[in-house]
Amino acid sequence: MLLLKEILDPKYGMFAHYQETRAIWFSELSLEKQGMYFLIGLLCGLAIYNFTIINLPFPLVLYKKLLAEPVELDDIGGLCPTLMRSLHSLLDYEGDDVEDVFCLSFVMSREVFGSV
């Protein structure tokens, strides 16, 4: 449990933490190799095998992916409900002036190791 808690710490950058839902997801900006994620999977499997309760705040969509179930737009709500509602608003809008109405320029900024 202590090892998993340490691995999930944001300072390692292996997982993106979503404040709105307190969920985590795999970070595409991680400098770690796939072997580290394999290690996390082994630790999770070992915990399940030993009936140990661990806190893994993954959204439901991860389990849907593991079970090969279809993933939908609403599944992003498990990570960021605001983003899900915004994307639904864009899809539901029927006018041609999307950029003007929603004031969108389709620019995205990211925080990478403390810098935007």
Side-chain angles (χ1 to χ4, degrees), residues 7 12 24 35 39 42 53 55 61-62 66 79-80 85 91 104 108-109 112:
I7 289 173
Y12 296 112
I24 61 173
L39 172 66
L42 282 175
I53 297 174
N55 182 23
V61 69
L62 174 69
L66 289 173
L79 286 174
C80 188
R85 286 190 301 273
L91 287 173
L104 295 176
M108 188 169 116
S109 60
V112 180

Side-chain angles (χ1 to χ4, degrees), residues 26-64:
F26 306 97
S27 175
E28 66 272 6
L29 303 172
S30 175
L31 300 175
E32 298 295 335
K33 298 194 185 303
Q34 284 185 341
M36 286 300 291
Y37 291 102
F38 184 77
L39 172 66
I40 293 170
L42 282 175
L43 290 172
C44 292
L46 186 61
I48 291 169
Y49 180 78
N50 289 313
F51 301 105
T52 303
I53 297 174
I54 53 176
N55 182 23
L56 292 174
F58 287 113
L60 179 63
V61 69
L62 174 69
Y63 305 103
K64 287 179 91 173

Side-chain angles (χ1 to χ4, degrees), residues 2-110:
L2 294 174
L3 183 58
L4 271 175
K5 182 179 178 184
E6 186 68 21
I7 289 173
L8 296 176
D9 195 319
K11 69 182 175 187
Y12 296 112
M14 293 180 68
F15 296 94
H17 295 260
Y18 292 82
Q19 296 298 323
E20 191 174 3
T21 56
R22 296 185 178 172
I24 61 173
W25 193 251
F26 306 97
S27 175
E28 66 272 6
L29 303 172
S30 175
L31 300 175
E32 298 295 335
K33 298 194 185 303
Q34 284 185 341
M36 286 300 291
Y37 291 102
F38 184 77
L39 172 66
I40 293 170
L42 282 175
L43 290 172
C44 292
L46 186 61
I48 291 169
Y49 180 78
N50 289 313
F51 301 105
T52 303
I53 297 174
I54 53 176
N55 182 23
L56 292 174
F58 287 113
L60 179 63
V61 69
L62 174 69
Y63 305 103
K64 287 179 91 173
K65 293 291 287 179
L66 289 173
L67 295 171
E69 291 186 12
V71 176
E72 301 170 358
L73 179 60
D74 290 336
D75 292 325
I76 202 169
L79 286 174
C80 188
T82 304
L83 177 62
M84 181 194 67
R85 286 190 301 273
S86 299
L87 291 175
H88 273 297
S89 296
L90 283 172
L91 287 173
D92 294 341
Y93 186 72
E94 296 183 9
D96 293 334
D97 54 347
V98 172
E99 186 175 342
D100 296 330
V101 171
F102 289 96
C103 299
L104 295 176
S105 60
F106 297 101
V107 175
M108 188 169 116
S109 60
R110 291 185 171 195

